[in-house]
């Protein structure tokens, strides 16, 4: 393992690290050296890194050059010697020569991988520049981002499929995924005949939109010891240039080559050992990849961050829990801001004309007991408006001050220009989990209108500024109080849809109640990894899913559709179309409604949990509709 005839020279006092820093042995390692390294790797490393270093349940693949913690001989040796704090990589205890054998074997793997990568050309040609993203929603052959367009409408102008002919709609193809998760929550992105999606956390797949055939797959398995509050979900990807971006459960933002699925860069957004994770889809704005974090039930301090799409370098970070000296810090008593929650786990919307980014913020921590956190607890259960180029706060609006019911404001912001009191206003429409529907001025955050979305008893109404007027049942007690809406909220992360021609917003709602209970302060303790609820709730009745049509400007109800029954939370977001349809799913049933009347025009059972929203685009010049159920993606058309 040395340059033939020369050996390794160690001056007195030189350490193995000093030798390895200038090591050139790998080019002269013998076959027996590599075999010894392969044997050690098989005995000690394959349990995490997989056979042949291909990646396993607890660690990444080692077959590609460019290791995350350094590619030099010294860097690899230090990882073997010291491990990687905060990950499943522990100290190996290998002697120097055994470690060098392993390095020789890893170099062989890298060499083979590099040769294969050099041979592999992009399988598809993808290029999504900023102009295409700005025009998203106008090209019916694509679905370029999480909400279809920056305005959050979830609407397609396609009109080939209508209430009259939808009874002829049939299945074109179905793609079943090999995955551990029970259902898909992601929204696909469709670009130039290729459909990109995350069937489950850590997996990205590119499919031929015409046939459903796999173009390429990427799999990344996170640390198995990661602690998650509510499951291992991922809700989608973003595209920009020739890259696909997604967030991982263990807190990384990852860029892949859209043509072949190869890793381009990876940057750590947050440390999963502190309770952070990523479940939402990124949003690309002017070359910045904006990503939020999940983990509001852990002792985190929430934030939203933007990264350069080319390099992965951080551009800005905005903390949703203000520190001393920052606006809103006075709303946190007892120094609770340090672990205040405020996750940003769903995807926001963007107004290019003002460069304002709108994002929902989740619950404070602990969820069900505010005794340890006196005050309104900004900016939790709020919408924040940020200058997208800098991350600086423009304004905020808090829907549920001092929230003790886990009513995250993680809903999709819907941006519209509406006639209000005789004047066209730039507004945000926001069906909120707390049971109210809000209309806000999106330039200033001023409250314009608010009305109950479902049956509400925790508040008597809203003031002229939109602040709730609490009722007695709003006070969570140690004995428990039944409250409407329940823990499921009036609506959750599943998106509304907006039809600008009709000026109607369609919302998939939940009617329910829960008994909320909080622990006495002396009895509150943190669980594993700081998981902290402050007691909890019990469901008092089955949830009832309904789709409602509202005047976007006032919240006045136009019609109500009682959706197929299903478990709490087992319902999809919605899609509206230029053909006069509203499409969604509940309890495994995919349905289509007449947008004007709410009449059910069509339904089909899909045989699996339906949480993922439908999207629509064209294939071969014809309108198709894609929706997931269980572990499968279905494509329908006429």
């Amino acid at each position: 393992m040395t340059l033939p005839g020369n050996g390794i020279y160690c001056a007195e006092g030189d350490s193995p690290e000093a030798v390895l820093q200038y090591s050139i042995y790998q080019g002269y390692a013998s076959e027996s050296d590599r075999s010894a390294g392969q044997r050690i790797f098989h005995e000690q490393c394959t349990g995490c890194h997989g056979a042949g270093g291909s990646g396993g349940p607890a660690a990444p693949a080692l077959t590609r050059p460019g290791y995350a913690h350094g590619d030099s001989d010294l860097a690899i040796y230090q990882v073997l010697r010291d491990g990687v704090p905060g990950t499943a990589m522990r100290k190996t205890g290998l002697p120097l020569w055994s470690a060098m054998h392993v390095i020789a074997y890893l170099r062989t793997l890298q060499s083979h991988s590099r040769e294969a990568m050099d041979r592999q050309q992009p399988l598809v040609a993808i290029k999504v520049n900023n102009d295409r993203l700005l025009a998203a929603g106008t090209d019916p052959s694509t679905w370029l981002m999480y909400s279809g367009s920056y305005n959050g409408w979830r609407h397609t102008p396609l009109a080939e499929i209508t209430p009259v002919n939808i009874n002829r709609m049939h299945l074109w193809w179905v793609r079943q995924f090999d995955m551990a998760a029970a259902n898909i929550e992601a929204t696909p992105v469709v670009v130039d005949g290729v459909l990109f999606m995350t069937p489950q956390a850590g997996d990205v797949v590119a499919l031929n939109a015409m046939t459903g055939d796999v173009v390429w797959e990427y799999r990344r398995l996170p640390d198995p010891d990661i602690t998650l509050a509510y499951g291992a979900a991922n809700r989608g990807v973003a595209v920009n240039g020739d890259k696909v971006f997604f967030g991982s459960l263990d807190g990384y933002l990852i860029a892949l080559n859209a043509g072949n699925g190869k890793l381009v860069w990876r940057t750590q957004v947050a440390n999963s050992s502190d309770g952070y994770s990523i479940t939402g889809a990124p949003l690309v704005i002017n070359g910045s990849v904006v990503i939020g974090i999940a983990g509001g039930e852990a002792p985190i301090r929430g934030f939203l961050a933007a990264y350069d799409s080319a390099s992965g370098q951080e551009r800005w970070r905005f903390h949703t829990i203000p520190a001393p000296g920052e606006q809103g810090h006075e709303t946190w008593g007892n120094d609770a801001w340090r672990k205040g929650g405020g996750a940003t786990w769903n995807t926001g919307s963007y107004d290019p004309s003002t460069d304002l980014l709108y994002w929902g913020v989740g619950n404070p921590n602990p969820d069900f007991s505010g005794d340890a956190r006196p005050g309104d607890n900004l900016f939790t259960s709020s919408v924040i408006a940020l200058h997208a180029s800098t991350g600086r706060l423009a304004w905020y609006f808090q829907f549920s001050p001092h929230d003790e019911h886990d009513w995250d404001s993680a809903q999709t912001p819907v941006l519209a220009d509406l006639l209000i009191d005789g004047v066209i206003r730039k507004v945000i429409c926001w069906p909120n989990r707390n049971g109210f529907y809000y209309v806000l001025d999106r330039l200033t955050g001023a409250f314009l209108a608010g009305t109950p979305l479902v049956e509400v008893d925790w508040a008597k109404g809203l003031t002229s500024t939109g602040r709730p007027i609490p009722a007695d049942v709003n006070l969570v007690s140690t004995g428990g109080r039944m409250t409407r809406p329940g823990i499921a909220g009036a609506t959750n992360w599943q998106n509304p849809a907006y039809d600008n021609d009709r000026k109607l917003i369609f919302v998939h709602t939940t009617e329910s109640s829960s008994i909320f209970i909080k622990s006495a302060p002396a009895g509150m303790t943190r669980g594993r990894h700081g998981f902290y609820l402050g007691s909890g709730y019990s469901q008092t009745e089955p949830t009832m899913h309904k789709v409602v049509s509202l005047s976007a400007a006032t919240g006045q109800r136009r019609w109500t559709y009682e959706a197929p029954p299903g478990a709490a939370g087992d319902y999809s977001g919605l899609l509206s179309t230029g053909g006069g349809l509203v499409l969604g799913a509940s309890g495994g049933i995919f349905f289509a409604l007449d947008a004007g009347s709410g009449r059910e025009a069509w339904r089909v059972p899909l045989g699996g949990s339906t949480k993922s929203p439908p999207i629509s685009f064209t294939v071969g010049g014809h309108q198709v509709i894609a929706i997931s159920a269980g572990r499968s993606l279905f494509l329908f058309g006429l």
Side-chain angles (χ1 to χ4, degrees), residues 95 97 111 125 141 168 174 204 231 248 259 332 352 376 379 437 566 578 613 638:
W97 292 108
S111 176
S141 69
R168 294 194 286 111
V174 59
V204 182
S248 69
W332 290 88
D376 282 353
F379 298 100
Y437 171 75
L638 294 178

Side-chain angles (χ1 to χ4, degrees), residues 569-606:
D570 185 12
Y571 64 95
S572 77
L574 300 175
L575 170 74
S576 62
T577 78
L581 292 169
V582 177
L583 298 112
S586 177
I589 304 294
F590 182 27
F591 57 80
L593 311 178
D594 185 308
S597 65
R599 177 186 62 86
E600 182 179 280
W602 179 86
R603 70 157 61 190
V604 64
L606 297 181

Side-chain angles (χ1 to χ4, degrees), residues 493-514:
W493 62 271
Q494 292 92 332
N495 60 275
Y498 172 69
D499 186 327
N500 192 52
D501 292 332
R502 292 177 168 84
K503 299 296 188 288
L504 295 177
I505 188 166
F506 308 101
V507 188
H508 211 152
T509 66
T510 298
E511 293 279 3
S512 69
S513 64
S514 297

Side-chain angles (χ1 to χ4, degrees), residues 274-443:
D274 293 330
Y276 293 95
S277 64
I278 299 176
T279 58
L283 186 66
V284 176
I285 300 172
N286 295 325
S288 289
V289 188
V290 182
I291 190 73
I293 51 90
E297 281 64 47
I300 66 165
R301 183 183 175 214
F303 63 87
L304 189 66
Y307 296 83
D308 182 86
S309 63
S311 66
Q313 293 296 310
E314 185 175 310
R315 287 184 168 178
W316 55 255
R317 179 173 295 213
F318 176 84
H319 282 279
T320 59
I321 311 295
E326 296 176 349
Q327 181 180 357
H329 177 73
E330 70 282 357
T331 66
W332 290 88
N334 294 345
D335 218 25
W337 67 275
R338 297 181 182 277
K339 302 175 180 180
T344 49
W345 52 276
N346 206 13
T347 307
S349 299
Y350 172 63
D351 185 349
S353 69
T354 59
D355 194 40
L356 288 181
L357 171 65
Y358 307 95
W359 212 279
V361 184
N363 58 272
N365 181 282
D367 295 44
F368 303 114
S369 179
D371 293 341
R373 47 176 174 83
D376 282 353
N377 306 143
L378 291 172
F379 298 100
T380 64
S381 302
S382 301
V383 52
I384 51 174
L386 307 180
H387 296 278
S389 57
T390 63
R392 182 172 56 85
L393 181 69
W395 58 260
Y396 72 90
F397 182 89
Q398 189 171 44
F399 301 102
S400 303
H402 193 72
D403 178 19
E404 291 187 307
H405 299 90
D406 194 26
W407 286 331
D408 294 73
S409 293
Q411 295 74 50
T412 301
V414 175
L415 314 184
D417 295 350
L418 297 175
L419 183 66
I420 297 178
D421 296 331
V423 179
I424 297 294
R425 302 283 294 266
K426 293 182 177 295
V427 304
I428 291 185
C429 304
W430 200 292
N432 196 265
R433 187 170 174 173
N434 71 8
F436 286 92
Y437 171 75
Y438 297 82
V439 182
L440 309 176
D441 186 303
R442 72 172 183 266
L443 301 180

Side-chain angles (χ1 to χ4, degrees), residues 52-306:
S54 59
L62 298 174
T63 56
R64 297 176 180 175
Y67 293 160
H69 297 279
D71 220 25
S72 68
D73 300 338
L74 175 61
I76 298 172
Y77 169 74
Q78 288 173 332
V79 168
L80 292 170
R81 182 194 65 191
D82 303 330
V84 180
T87 74
M89 181 68 197
R90 309 297 184 228
K91 298 178 181 179
T92 64
L94 291 174
L96 172 62
W97 292 108
S98 295
M100 294 178 75
H101 285 137
V102 172
I103 295 170
Y105 174 62
L106 294 177
R107 294 301 190 200
T108 302
L109 296 179
Q110 288 181 320
S111 176
H112 292 165
S113 175
R114 185 180 287 108
E115 292 170 2
M117 290 174 66
D118 290 342
R119 291 194 302 269
Q120 183 170 335
Q121 297 299 316
L123 302 173
V124 290
I126 300 295
K127 196 70 174 179
V128 181
N129 60 26
N130 190 56
D131 289 340
R132 289 190 74 181
L133 292 177
L134 289 171
T138 61
D139 178 0
S141 69
T142 65
W143 190 274
L144 289 181
M145 59 187 67
Y146 179 71
S147 293
S149 55
Y150 282 129
N151 54 28
W153 288 4
R154 291 275 181 161
H155 178 86
T156 176
L158 292 169
E160 180 182 354
I161 303 172
T162 70
V164 174
N165 64 18
I166 194 171
N167 62 330
R168 294 194 286 111
M169 192 165 74
H170 60 277
L171 183 66
W172 280 31
W173 54 254
V174 59
R175 166 58 59 182
Q176 187 171 25
F177 298 101
D178 178 15
M179 52 187 280
N183 56 69
I184 297 168
E185 295 190 9
T187 296
V189 167
V190 182
V191 186
D192 300 335
V194 181
L195 185 151
F196 301 94
M197 67 177 296
T198 50
Q200 65 177 351
D203 293 1
V204 182
V205 63
L207 303 177
N208 182 312
M210 174 70 78
T211 65
D213 293 335
V214 174
V215 178
W216 56 255
E217 291 180 279
Y218 174 90
R219 292 197 169 193
R220 182 175 188 274
L221 298 173
D223 184 345
D225 293 331
I226 188 171
T227 297
L228 303 170
Y230 295 111
N234 187 284
R235 298 185 181 91
V237 304
V239 292
N240 185 222
D242 60 354
K243 300 181 186 66
V244 175
F245 308 92
F246 78 102
S248 69
L249 284 179
D250 50 353
Y252 285 84
L253 180 62
I254 297 170
L256 306 177
N257 184 298
N260 55 30
K262 301 301 181 183
L263 179 68
V264 179
W265 54 254
R266 178 181 65 216
T267 188
Q268 189 174 38
V269 176
N271 194 333
S272 61
S273 64
D274 293 330
Y276 293 95
S277 64
I278 299 176
T279 58
L283 186 66
V284 176
I285 300 172
N286 295 325
S288 289
V289 188
V290 182
I291 190 73
I293 51 90
E297 281 64 47
I300 66 165
R301 183 183 175 214
F303 63 87
L304 189 66

